[in-house]
C-alpha cells in the first residue's frame, strides 16, 4: 500500500505542473497560429509533449521538462 505524502506538498507540485501545462498551451497556440512554417519550433513543441507524456504529473517537473520547455519558449520568442 502506498503511503500518502503531505497534501499541501502534492497541491504545490500539481500547481507547478498546472503552470507548465499553461505554458505548453501557449506554445500550442503559437504553433496553431503560425502553422508549420518553422520546423525547429514545431519539433521543439512535439518534444515537450513527449516529455510530458513520459513524466510523472504528481511530482515536481523534471529538469528535462524544464529544459525542453524553455528551449521551445525561446524559439517561440524568436519566431513571433
Amino acid at each position: 500500500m502506498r503511503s500518502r505524502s503531505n497534501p499541501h506538498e502534492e497541491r504545490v507540485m500539481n500547481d507547478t505542473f498546472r503552470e507548465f501545462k499553461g505554458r505548453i498551451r501557449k506554445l500550442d497556440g503559437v504553433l496553431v497560429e503560425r502553422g508549420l512554417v518553422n520546423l525547429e519550433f514545431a519539433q521543439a513543441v512535439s518534444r515537450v509533449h513527449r516529455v510530458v507524456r513520459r513524466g510523472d504529473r504528481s511530482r515536481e517537473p523534471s529538469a528535462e521538462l524544464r529544459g525542453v520547455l524553455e528551449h521551445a519558449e525561446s524559439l517561440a520568442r524568436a519566431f513571433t
Side-chain angles (χ1 to χ4, degrees), residues 29-39 41-42 79:
V30 170
L31 185 60
V32 167
E33 179 183 311
R34 301 289 181 165
L36 294 176
V37 175
N38 186 318
L39 183 59
F41 173 64
F79 181 52

Side-chain angles (χ1 to χ4, degrees), residues 34 37 48 50 60 77 79-80:
R34 301 289 181 165
V37 175
V48 169
R50 281 194 308 273
E60 191 70 24
R77 284 190 294 275
F79 181 52
T80 56

Side-chain angles (χ1 to χ4, degrees), residues 7-71:
H8 175 69
E9 185 178 312
E10 279 185 29
R11 194 182 95 239
V12 170
M13 285 188 219
N14 289 335
D15 288 345
T16 303
F17 211 87
R18 188 174 298 117
E19 174 204 338
F20 273 57
K21 292 294 280 187
R23 291 166 62 186
I24 294 166
R25 277 191 291 278
K26 287 180 185 177
L27 291 173
D28 288 337
V30 170
L31 185 60
V32 167
E33 179 183 311
R34 301 289 181 165
L36 294 176
V37 175
N38 186 318
L39 183 59
E40 184 181 7
F41 173 64
Q43 289 173 334
V45 172
S46 178
R47 196 172 307 121
V48 169
H49 283 286
R50 281 194 308 273
V51 172
V52 168
R53 269 195 310 271
R54 286 193 323 251
D56 184 351
R57 290 175 184 89
S58 67
R59 299 187 185 274
E60 191 70 24
S62 68
E64 179 186 18
L65 175 56
R66 289 178 192 279
V68 295
L69 180 59
E70 289 170 5
H71 176 69

